Amino acid sequence: MKTIAFGSDHAGYLLKEKVKEYLRSKGYQPVDFGTHSEISCDYPDYCRPAAESVAGKENLYGIIFGGSGKGEAMVANNVAGVRSAVCWDVQSAQLAKEHNNANMISIGARMVSAHEAILFVDAWLNAVFQGGRHIKRLDKLAQGSR
């Protein structure tokens, strides 16, 4: 079964729940690192463990949520082996996989609707890394990893 790590802060909680349910209906196994409510919390407490599970290959991919998605992506990108992209439309999600081979995406719940987020997730999951000229760029990224 294809597992996907999930993490969010309080602002991303409701969107996380909607995307989880959608992916569950598509045969994915969500692994939820929290948060589990809309009570104010700190996104690193939930997004870092999700990212670590992707880096450790415990989960195939990861999706993290916050108000804007930016802080969450910053946390994830501090984990060696993670390439997390903030996605704001279908094309940004598709290119995150095709050009950057992103193994995580971050979505801002205050920026997009649940319907839009689901479109982004589908675009990202269905895209294929193009390799070629993008490989040397990813190698350079990996050299800077901690």
Side-chain angles (χ1 to χ4, degrees), residues 12-31:
Y13 169 72
L14 291 177
L15 183 57
K16 173 180 64 109
E17 294 302 305
K18 290 176 184 174
V19 173
K20 263 179 32 185
E21 190 58 37
Y22 171 75
L23 288 178
R24 190 176 283 119
S25 77
K26 295 293 183 186
Y28 288 89
Q29 171 81 34
V31 179

Side-chain angles (χ1 to χ4, degrees), residues 24-73:
R24 190 176 283 119
S25 77
K26 295 293 183 186
Y28 288 89
Q29 171 81 34
V31 179
D32 192 345
F33 288 87
T35 192
H36 302 290
S37 76
E38 292 181 273
I39 296 171
S40 183
C41 64
D42 300 328
Y43 56 83
D45 295 341
Y46 306 101
C47 295
R48 184 179 321 278
E52 289 170 345
S53 79
V54 172
K57 305 207 183 314
E58 297 159 30
N59 292 294
L60 181 62
Y61 295 119
I63 306 173
I64 48 182
F65 304 85
S68 70
K70 291 182 179 172
E72 295 75 17

Side-chain angles (χ1 to χ4, degrees), residues 40-141:
S40 183
C41 64
D42 300 328
Y43 56 83
D45 295 341
Y46 306 101
C47 295
R48 184 179 321 278
E52 289 170 345
S53 79
V54 172
K57 305 207 183 314
E58 297 159 30
N59 292 294
L60 181 62
Y61 295 119
I63 306 173
I64 48 182
F65 304 85
S68 70
K70 291 182 179 172
E72 295 75 17
M74 289 176 187
V75 167
N77 283 323
N78 274 314
V79 175
V82 169
R83 290 175 308 282
S84 182
V86 178
C87 297
W88 58 90
D89 63 14
V90 170
Q91 187 176 22
S92 66
Q94 183 177 341
L95 291 174
K97 178 75 78 57
E98 289 179 353
H99 291 191
N100 308 114
N101 203 18
N103 51 9
M104 293 187 78
I105 59 171
S106 185
I107 301 174
R110 293 180 178 147
M111 308 294 148
V112 302
S113 69
H115 174 74
E116 291 171 314
I118 287 168
L119 292 176
F120 307 168
V121 169
D122 276 340
W124 172 63
L125 289 173
N126 291 322
V128 176
F129 178 53
Q130 293 179 349
R133 71 184 190 277
H134 305 291
I135 292 172
K136 73 176 182 174
R137 296 166 186 161
L138 293 183
D139 288 344
K140 289 179 180 182
L141 258 179

